[in-house]
Amino acid sequence: MNYLILDVFYFESGEKTNANAVGIIFSGVEKISILSEYQIIIEDVAPYQSGQFYKREMPCLIALINQVKELFDIIIIDGFVYLDGSTRAGLGKYLYENLKNKKPIIGIAKNRFHGISEEYKVYRGKSKHPLYITTHDYNLTKAKLLVENLEGEFRIPNIILKVDKLSRNPE
């Protein structure tokens, strides 16, 4: 199974805010093999709107996904698919709705959103702080198991650290 993990980092360039969208295609869970990396700079992105973050992030994610040439089975995002776990749309749900070729989406959020239940928590390593896992078109139990077992001994899986680091280094 091949996964596409995505992240976007925003940075100032003169008077404008630009974004560095990054994607990594990988296979494996406990031992990850990176198959390819993608990066695209989006200039002059929309300003942040409280409660509507997806409007800023969506064009960046879609632009990156449109660059991907390899086949992948599942998309992983840094954030929530559903803010409450099942009904209140988050970034992942909006992304799913905007995909031409629908793929299951797993959201991995580092911080709790008000109203999300204990059912969505995953603890990794010795951390006392959970990650929150939400999905669309993918079984939650399988997604939680996947995240629990992703390579890396600490709270944040290695592949998330890698995509985050790449996004923070626009070329």
Side-chain angles (χ1 to χ4, degrees), residues 81-141:
V81 177
Y82 290 98
L83 300 175
D84 61 358
S86 61
T87 60
R88 189 170 172 203
L91 176 62
K93 173 62 171 156
Y94 291 114
L95 176 59
Y96 183 85
E97 290 172 355
N98 281 276
L99 291 173
K100 290 178 188 169
N101 297 316
K102 304 294 188 207
K103 299 288 182 180
I105 299 182
I106 298 171
I108 303 173
K110 297 174 194 98
N111 298 305
R112 183 180 183 272
F113 190 85
H114 178 73
I116 191 131
S117 74
E118 303 284 314
E119 168 186 13
Y120 300 95
K121 288 183 178 181
V122 165
Y123 290 90
R124 286 181 38 90
K126 296 177 183 172
S127 179
K128 294 182 170 128
H129 302 283
L131 297 171
Y132 295 88
I133 312 305
T134 54
T135 65
H136 185 81
D137 200 23
Y138 195 76
N139 178 276
L140 177 61
T141 302

Side-chain angles (χ1 to χ4, degrees), residues 40 49 59 111 147:
I40 185 170
Q49 294 178 35
N111 298 305
V147 173

Side-chain angles (χ1 to χ4, degrees), residues 45-85:
V45 296
Y48 172 78
Q49 294 178 35
S50 180
Q52 297 184 338
F53 173 67
Y54 68 92
K55 288 184 178 181
R56 181 184 208 195
E57 191 107 340
M58 192 61 53
C60 303
L61 295 175
I62 296 298
L64 188 281
I65 290 168
N66 287 340
Q67 299 292 314
V68 174
K69 295 172 181 58
E70 294 90 351
L71 297 176
F72 58 90
D73 304 293
I74 296 174
I75 296 173
I76 299 173
I77 63 161
D78 177 10
F80 285 93
V81 177
Y82 290 98
L83 300 175
D84 61 358

Side-chain angles (χ1 to χ4, degrees), residues 8-73:
V8 179
F9 178 74
Y10 299 92
F11 60 98
E12 301 302 319
S13 179
E15 305 265 325
K16 300 186 274 187
T17 300
N18 296 338
N20 184 31
V22 174
I24 298 175
I25 303 256
F26 70 95
S27 64
V29 176
E30 294 172 1
K31 178 69 174 137
I32 288 176
S33 295
I34 293 176
L35 306 174
S36 57
E37 298 177 0
Y38 290 88
Q39 183 172 356
I40 185 170
I41 301 292
I42 296 91
E43 295 183 354
D44 201 15
V45 296
Y48 172 78
Q49 294 178 35
S50 180
Q52 297 184 338
F53 173 67
Y54 68 92
K55 288 184 178 181
R56 181 184 208 195
E57 191 107 340
M58 192 61 53
C60 303
L61 295 175
I62 296 298
L64 188 281
I65 290 168
N66 287 340
Q67 299 292 314
V68 174
K69 295 172 181 58
E70 294 90 351
L71 297 176
F72 58 90
D73 304 293

